[in-house]
Amino acid sequence: MPSVSSKCAALAGAAALALSIAAAPHSARAQSQSEGEVGNAAPAPAAPAEQPQSFQPLADQGITLTLSYTGEAAGNVSGGLRKEAAYAGQVYAGADFDMDRIAGIGGGTLHVAVTNRHGKSLSAIAIGNNTSVQEIWGTQNTHLAILTWEQHLFDDRLVIEAGRSQANIHFLNSPLYCQFQGNSGCGNPTFVFKNSNFTYFPASSWMIHAKAQLTDNIFAHVGAYEVNPDRKQASDHGTDFGIGNATGVIVPWELSYESGESALLPFRYILGGWIDKGDYDDPLRDDMGGIAILSGRPAQVHNGRSGLYFRFEQQLTRPDPTSKRGLSVYGVAMTNLSGRVEESRFFDLGLVQTGTFPGRDEDSIGFMISDQRFSNLAMQRMRAADLAAGGSARVSRHQVMMELSYSAQIGPAIRLSPNIQYIHNPDRTGDPFRGSPTKDALIIGAKFTVDALKLGL
């Protein structure tokens, strides 16, 4: 296990790298929050278009409040392991403190957020696959999710944030992803969580990240996040700041070419990846070299993995330049580079139309499809378990997940998103000794968000 000094050195090295990319001149603001307030982190935006001002009683003192609720229901109407329904929800309470107004510290903001998550996962109780159909599920307790300081430097050309947070609210996400309810795409493409220690909301750990604008359209983004198995325990509430059991850090990075929202057809094209220097369990072998799922022994422990991805977002139509109405497409391609991993590659493609019927400019409709390809190690494990249960070892290498979703804005505060999800070849993670393939699953779902500070407006 790395020493405490080596962990601190790794974090400091990542910070130095982030600072070094601020050398070139820039002419526009580094958009550190372009990805930080989406997905299963901060509450989902109430609508794609500009929204009414919320109730902010402390705004004159430099304090901006957030209070919201997200709920996700899902029912398995056919296939999977059994017919069942489940509900998961999240209360999100946060505050941003403008430290320029409060204490005269220009460009500084203190972020604080607490969540309460509750409910059950339909995938865990009725489908048995490794990817939830309710993205809000996970870390089911009251949790100090965010406690960070964000600092803008060099006329906003460099933005640094440090404290307690998660990699997935800063990297590898998009507002388009959470048009959908399933965890295959929202809040992040699921592949990264299967193949690395990429930290996820709201399980907070020590971190630092920085985004710099190199030219008008080119941005560089890098971070370092503590990898600590304690942060994934049900008993952890985000208030234990110790690093005694940390096993390393994960370093995500991105280089992006972005048009900005003022472009006629906005776009973002991003090359990224991660270097994971934390410990992880072998997906197949136990500590004696046998097959862990059969022996029941602890898995072998390794250190060090890496991966690479390319992703893009492109608006295809925009009838009115002053509106966000129009059709957008996004895509993600991910692969493993090193380490013994669960999946070998991942593809995700989605279409989102903002502005649907006359008078419904804030509504949106979307369709997405993803393909997870399991590694040879995962296939060997699943086949071994199937044979042990008397099966034929007929296990699919691909899990394909699809979703059709409509999001309706109901007043300024409520957004309702009914959806239909379909899983082709659900994997055997939740029921490895089933002895027969899990049938394709059809799920009916509904997601809603309530911005409590806009109620009554």
Side-chain angles (χ1 to χ4, degrees):
M1 179 182 296
S3 66
V4 172
S5 60
S6 67
K7 300 166 196 168
C8 295
L11 286 167
L17 176 61
L19 286 167
S20 71
I21 60 182
H26 316 293
S27 62
R29 173 173 175 164
Q31 300 174 16
S32 70
Q33 296 304 310
S34 63
E35 296 184 306
E37 298 179 352
V38 298
N40 54 6
E50 185 177 348
Q51 294 304 298
Q53 294 295 314
S54 62
F55 175 64
Q56 293 294 341
L58 300 177
D60 290 342
Q61 286 74 49
I63 303 172
T64 303
L65 304 177
T66 304
L67 179 61
S68 69
Y69 184 83
T70 300
E72 295 178 346
N76 185 28
V77 298
S78 69
L81 303 178
R82 62 188 61 87
K83 293 182 179 180
E84 187 64 85
Y87 177 83
Q90 172 185 277
V91 178
Y92 181 102
D96 295 332
F97 298 83
D98 182 347
M99 301 310 294
D100 186 7
R101 181 173 297 184
I102 294 171
I105 304 174
T109 304
L110 176 66
H111 303 289
V112 182
V114 176
T115 61
N116 174 271
R117 284 190 168 185
H118 47 273
K120 296 182 179 181
S121 166
L122 183 70
S123 289
I125 66 176
I127 303 174
N129 68 321
N130 71 350
T131 302
S132 173
V133 297
Q134 299 149 281
E135 59 85 16
I136 207 68
W137 188 85
T139 312
Q140 305 301 98
N141 58 21
T142 299
H143 209 91
L144 176 60
I146 298 173
L147 179 59
T148 64
W149 183 285
E150 180 179 315
Q151 186 67 48
H152 291 241
L153 301 167
F154 308 114
D155 295 326
D156 292 337
R157 297 171 301 191
L158 174 67
V159 181
I160 302 174
E161 185 176 6
R164 304 278 295 180
S165 189
Q166 308 81 16
N168 76 319
I169 69 172
H170 304 131
F171 293 86
L172 197 60
N173 61 39
S174 161
L176 293 175
Y177 298 168
C178 283
Q179 162 76 28
F180 307 101
Q181 177 174 307
N183 215 175
S184 177
C186 179
N188 317 80
T190 186
F191 179 92
V192 71
F193 302 109
K194 307 299 189 295
N195 280 20
S196 78
N197 285 300
F198 204 73
T199 57
Y200 52 82
F201 189 88
S204 54
S205 64
W206 291 109
M207 51 69 64
I208 184 169
H209 79 101
K211 189 171 184 179
Q213 188 172 1
L214 305 181
T215 70
D216 286 352
N217 302 107
I218 298 176
F219 295 79
H221 194 185
V222 66
Y225 298 78
E226 173 198 3
V227 175
N228 191 326
D230 288 353
R231 304 291 80 85
K232 298 180 179 180
Q233 300 298 319
S235 59
D236 185 78
H237 295 275
T239 55
D240 180 358
F241 295 169
I243 61 171
N245 289 330
T247 66
V249 297
I250 184 167
V251 178
W253 60 271
E254 290 187 339
L255 185 65
S256 61
Y257 180 59
E258 309 178 20
S259 67
E261 290 302 309
S262 61
L264 178 61
L265 296 175
F267 62 80
R268 300 172 71 215
Y269 291 85
I270 301 168
L271 178 68
W274 63 88
I275 301 169
D276 180 2
K277 300 303 293 182
D279 287 355
Y280 67 95
D281 290 344
D282 191 282
L284 176 64
R285 297 297 176 184
D286 64 24
D287 57 353
M288 299 297 291
I291 297 178
I293 199 169
L294 301 182
S295 70
R297 295 187 60 84
Q300 288 182 7
V301 177
H302 307 283
N303 185 284
R305 293 175 286 186
S306 62
L308 185 72
Y309 58 82
F310 171 75
R311 63 193 185 95
F312 72 91
E313 304 153 28
Q314 176 69 64
Q315 189 155 350
L316 302 177
T317 65
R318 195 174 191 178
D320 181 356
T322 65
S323 168
K324 291 188 178 181
R325 286 177 58 90
L327 178 65
S328 297
V329 61
Y330 72 83
V332 183
M334 310 181 73
T335 188
N336 175 65
L337 292 180
S338 65
R340 292 172 63 84
V341 295
E342 181 74 8
E343 298 181 4
S344 55
R345 65 131 177 91
F346 174 90
F347 294 125
D348 189 12
L349 183 67
L351 289 167
V352 177
Q353 170 67 41
T354 301
T356 54
F357 305 104
R360 303 301 304 174
D361 290 1
E362 298 179 359
D363 289 7
S364 57
I365 185 170
F367 175 78
M368 63 81 64
I369 182 169
S370 67
D371 177 18
Q372 300 175 51
R373 184 182 189 275
F374 292 97
S375 69
N376 290 336
L377 297 174
M379 292 296 293
Q380 189 174 345
R381 182 193 71 238
M382 289 188 284
R383 286 168 177 157
D386 192 61
L387 285 173
S392 62
R394 185 165 61 92
V395 178
S396 175
R397 186 178 288 273
H398 295 262
Q399 177 175 240
V400 178
M401 301 182 71
M402 293 169 271
E403 183 173 343
L404 176 66
S405 173
Y406 188 97
S407 293
Q409 189 67 31
I410 304 172
I414 300 173
R415 194 162 182 85
L416 176 63
S417 304
N419 56 81
I420 301 173
Q421 300 181 55
Y422 189 81
I423 306 175
H424 178 54
N425 294 328
D427 71 84
R428 309 284 190 86
T429 303
D431 193 4
F433 296 100
R434 180 176 174 81
S436 62
T438 305
K439 294 181 180 179
D440 291 1
L442 176 65
I443 298 102
I444 304 298
K447 174 180 180 179
F448 70 93
T449 60
V450 179
D451 186 337
L453 299 182
K454 291 180 180 177
L455 288 173
L457 295 182

